[in-house]
Amino acid sequence: MIPFLDIPMQALFGQLLLGLINGSFYALLSLGLAVIFGLLNIINFTHGAQYMLGAFVAWMLLNYLGIGYWWALLLAPLIVGASGVVIERLLISRLYKLDHIYGLLLTFGIALIMQGLLRNQYGASGMPYAIPPELAGGQRLSFMFLPNYRAWVIVASVIVCLGTWLLIERTRLGAYLRAATENPGLTQAFGINVPLLVTLTYGFGVGLAALAGVLAAPIYSVNPNMGADIIIVVFAVVVIGGMGSILGAIASGFALGLVEGLTKVFYPEASTTVIFVIMAIVLLVKPAGLFGRTA
Amino acid sequence: MTMVQHISPAQLAKPTNPPRAGLPASLYGRLFIALTAVLLVAPLALYPMFLMTLLCFALFACAFNLLLGYGGLLSFGHAVYFGMAAYVTGHAAKVWGLGPELSVLLGALTGAGLGLAFGALAIRRQGIYFSMITLALAQMAFFFCLQATFTHGEDGIQAIPRGHLFGLIDLSDDRVLYYVVLAVFLAGLLGIFRIIHSPFGQVLKAIRENEPRAISLGYNAQRYKLAVFVLSSTIAGVAGGMKALVFQLATLTDVHWTMSGEVVLMTLVGGMGTVFGPIVGAAVIVTMQNYLAHLGAWVTVVQGAIFVACVLLFREGIVGVIARHLRWRL
């Protein structure tokens, strides 16, 4: 073991790994927020609750229906995404002509309802969700112990993030989406069903949040409050990265997770606040965000 | 970025039929006197503790409404100015042994200082980003309170002495304290009323309605926004300081984001951009919490449902609807 500034390498890499895991969730969540914001022009405050809902649906599938992790990974995003479609059609769609703040307030209210209902039913202490047997155990590397499940979370989220980027930047559907983001009226005039596109985009963004929730379930306990704290950090990530760019959202998610991990090693007291401090500095230096366009 | 038609909250709340011209200029005065009269005799019918809670939150909501309703800025982290002021007031009264007036003054200064720092950062972005920044900064302050020693973590500052006002009037009696709180509340309300109807307030409304135009007329929009942010956070600080004296307690609840959400809800229910709306909203929410307290987490669900209902069906709020029907500006 090579000591580095009196910090054992084991601890350094351990925290970096943890930072990368958190970064995976930040990236998945800020990606969903950015996609939704691009087309719907609302900040989806329910995003954290939908992440939590993803974890809960996975837990319910396992405990009530005996459906395991791998199916949950597919089903939970679909179920939560479908609930998102219903929410968008019934509630959010009524607000598009109004000021953005009403979207924020509405989705905040929905988040409170979801969180309160699940806390009534399951309490606030959290419930365990076992790591799937295929991913139990870990690899003993020369410098650290790498649990298989954690490696999987990082790989999975990188794949999903890049897949989403390819979908938006390289496919016809993505081209429609970008066109509708740029100018919904004109896109509609070209015969593209923009309201449908909007609904599907919301469902997709929500599905991403739920997927992050399923990935998180075995690492953190399944808890009604798990979404509330992470969403505020993700808001800061989004302010730092700027919501104009998909890759920007992904990159700043992972990078800030790593920074948080590093802070845990060198100055643990600041680990909860470091992202907010970075946000303040970015606002002073580059108010539009690192990848943002001034709007 | 798409072009989105920008509609400010007050524009939405604006009555479809404009207020009758020249109608009671003294209406505010009469309503103010009526409100004062009701509040003066209220302790005969209601518990002073309940009334003081109400007044503290009403002042907090009025301060918040100054920023949202008249400045058009939705801060989602207003609990920080309220809660940090409560901590500082509590610390000053308990540890430093200062009198209640100085303690609350220090609380107000805390609100002002934090408002200056956070406001200066937040106004660098607009709209939805502004809200996210205020929320994130508030969360940072929350974690600070969680770790700092003077806040005593989960316990909070307990048994804060109410002391003697100006070293003379003993505030330990709820009924005595009530009239002090009432005086501070009315002073705050008058102050806000003056701000709204001053030239400063008019410029503020102009910026809210059309910022580029206000800038082109030569107004420094950023400076006005920062000023109203600091005014709002200062008054929120006064409310927080009073709350610390009333409950003799300052805890993490006061700085948590749920508190920020509650003050938004109060303003929304009562009617944003109306002078008396936040007071009505605070009365509704405080009463509701009082009666639903035994329901536990259901309170969160009910609050969420009220949020959804208000945004979808009832954007003008209670006072906004009354004002539209009476064709008065309230």
Side-chain angles (χ1 to χ4, degrees):
Chain A
M1 204 182 294
I2 320 147
F4 172 63
L5 289 174
D6 290 339
I7 305 282
M9 290 303 261
Q10 196 100 33
L12 179 68
F13 282 109
Q15 288 301 342
L16 278 182
L17 177 68
L18 216 62
L20 214 49
I21 299 257
N22 280 335
S24 308
F25 297 131
Y26 296 159
L28 280 173
L29 290 175
S30 59
L31 176 63
L33 272 184
V35 172
I36 292 173
F37 181 76
L39 198 51
L40 280 75
N41 266 306
I42 62 154
I43 273 296
N44 185 30
F45 217 126
T46 324
H47 220 66
Q50 278 149 341
Y51 158 84
M52 175 269 291
L53 214 54
F56 261 96
V57 169
W59 184 90
M60 288 177 198
L61 285 173
L62 183 67
N63 287 276
Y64 298 150
L65 300 174
I67 296 171
Y69 177 82
W70 298 103
W71 278 107
L73 213 48
L74 179 69
L75 288 176
L78 285 178
I79 294 168
V80 180
S83 77
V85 165
V86 174
I87 289 171
E88 193 278 336
R89 275 293 87 203
L90 287 181
L91 306 173
I92 298 173
S93 60
R94 293 161 194 269
L95 300 177
Y96 290 141
K97 290 196 175 66
L98 302 180
D99 192 287
H100 299 353
I101 67 161
Y102 289 110
L104 182 76
L105 295 177
L106 176 78
T107 49
F108 178 71
I110 299 172
L112 284 185
I113 295 175
M114 288 180 178
Q115 216 177 305
L117 283 176
L118 285 167
R119 204 162 53 219
N120 272 320
Q121 193 63 34
Y122 298 99
S125 50
M127 300 168 302
Y129 187 95
I131 291 176
E134 296 87 343
L135 293 174
Q139 310 296 321
R140 192 163 293 283
L141 307 178
S142 60
F143 50 91
M144 68 177 294
F145 179 76
L146 175 65
N148 286 340
Y149 187 77
R150 304 201 162 199
W152 154 250
V153 168
I154 296 169
V155 171
S157 57
V158 169
I159 291 172
V160 172
C161 284
L162 288 181
T164 308
W165 178 74
L166 282 174
L167 179 73
I168 292 172
E169 298 290 332
R170 294 283 181 272
T171 65
R172 182 165 285 268
L173 186 66
Y176 291 159
L177 189 121
R178 280 178 287 133
T181 304
E182 211 63 48
N183 190 333
L186 197 58
T187 312
Q188 182 127 30
F190 282 140
I192 289 157
N193 189 340
V194 172
L196 179 71
L197 200 61
V198 164
T199 306
L200 289 180
T201 304
Y202 188 75
F204 178 74
V206 168
L208 278 181
L211 182 74
V214 183
L215 287 173
I219 297 182
Y220 312 113
S221 62
V222 179
N223 181 326
N225 299 326
M226 64 192 281
D229 291 328
I230 199 170
I231 193 63
I232 303 178
V233 179
V234 171
F235 279 177
V237 171
V238 161
V239 171
I240 294 168
M243 281 190 288
S245 134
I246 299 292
L247 274 185
I250 300 170
S252 34
F254 278 105
L256 288 164
L258 272 180
V259 169
E260 206 183 36
L262 276 177
T263 317
K264 269 190 194 130
V265 181
F266 294 107
Y267 190 50
E269 292 82 4
S271 63
T272 46
T273 48
V274 64
I275 291 187
F276 304 121
V277 174
I278 293 176
M279 180 191 79
I281 295 168
V282 168
L283 282 171
L284 286 174
V285 179
K286 201 168 180 297
L290 295 179
F291 305 92
R293 290 177 286 181
T294 33
Chain B
M1 241 358 77
T2 48
M3 283 295 292
V4 172
Q5 201 187 352
H6 187 83
I7 306 164
S8 71
Q11 226 170 329
L12 289 161
K14 193 156 64 180
T16 37
N17 35 5
R20 280 171 277 191
L23 209 120
S26 60
L27 178 70
Y28 279 119
R30 282 187 226 159
L31 275 171
F32 191 80
I33 290 165
L35 181 72
T36 311
V38 168
L39 287 173
L40 276 174
V41 296
L44 298 174
L46 294 159
Y47 290 112
M49 237 356 231
F50 171 77
L51 287 168
M52 285 190 284
T53 316
L54 203 162
L55 288 181
C56 288
F57 281 105
L59 185 60
F60 183 26
C62 285
F64 175 78
N65 183 45
L66 177 64
L67 187 63
L68 173 61
Y70 298 94
L73 301 167
L74 172 61
S75 157
F76 228 98
H78 242 50
V80 162
Y81 318 112
F82 181 78
M84 284 297 257
Y87 272 130
V88 169
T89 302
H91 191 76
K94 191 177 175 183
V95 182
W96 296 339
L98 295 179
E101 65 287 341
L102 276 179
S103 304
V104 173
L105 183 68
L106 280 179
L109 288 176
T110 309
L114 277 171
L116 187 64
F118 287 2
L121 281 170
I123 58 165
R124 295 178 76 88
R125 298 294 289 273
Q126 289 172 334
I128 222 78
Y129 282 101
F130 176 89
S131 305
M132 290 197 288
I133 293 164
T134 48
L135 176 61
L137 291 171
Q139 186 77 348
M140 180 171 82
F142 172 79
F143 281 120
F144 168 77
C145 291
L146 195 63
Q147 290 171 352
T149 47
F150 85 98
T151 59
H152 298 282
E154 301 281 344
D155 296 335
I157 304 179
Q158 298 180 359
I160 297 166
R162 285 176 179 175
H164 291 67
L165 186 65
F166 304 119
L168 295 169
I169 309 161
D170 186 4
L171 296 182
S172 54
D173 186 339
D174 279 354
R175 280 163 299 179
V176 177
L177 183 61
Y178 171 75
Y179 287 102
V180 175
V181 174
L182 179 59
V184 172
F185 167 77
L186 290 174
L189 191 61
L190 275 177
I192 290 171
F193 184 80
R194 272 313 303 148
I195 294 169
I196 295 167
H197 292 90
S198 67
F200 169 80
Q202 299 299 324
V203 176
L204 214 55
K205 275 178 239 174
I207 293 170
R208 178 194 67 193
E209 297 301 322
N210 194 335
E211 188 172 337
R213 190 158 176 191
I215 294 170
S216 77
L217 287 173
Y219 292 108
N220 187 339
Q222 293 298 81
R223 196 170 288 173
Y224 277 89
K225 283 186 190 174
L226 184 58
V228 73
F229 200 103
V230 173
L231 285 170
S232 172
S233 63
T234 309
I235 301 170
V238 174
M242 298 304 293
K243 186 247 148 203
L245 289 184
V246 169
F247 287 92
Q248 305 185 280
L249 187 68
T251 63
L252 286 171
T253 323
D254 302 333
V255 282
H256 197 238
W257 58 265
T258 44
M259 181 65 82
S260 300
E262 264 169 36
V263 76
V264 180
L265 186 60
M266 288 171 189
T267 309
L268 189 64
V269 168
M272 49 179 141
T274 61
V275 175
F276 295 99
I279 304 169
V280 176
V284 170
I285 301 298
V286 169
T287 312
M288 188 194 83
Q289 281 171 342
N290 215 29
Y291 287 101
L292 298 184
H294 61 282
L295 289 177
W298 281 108
V299 176
T300 315
V301 180
V302 172
Q303 283 183 346
I306 297 177
F307 254 112
V308 172
C310 275
V311 170
L312 290 177
L313 311 166
F314 198 60
R315 280 186 287 275
E316 294 166 307
I318 296 169
V319 172
V321 168
I322 296 172
R324 190 187 50 190
H325 280 286
L326 296 176
R327 292 204 271 159
W328 287 347
R329 244 186 220 131
L330 290 176

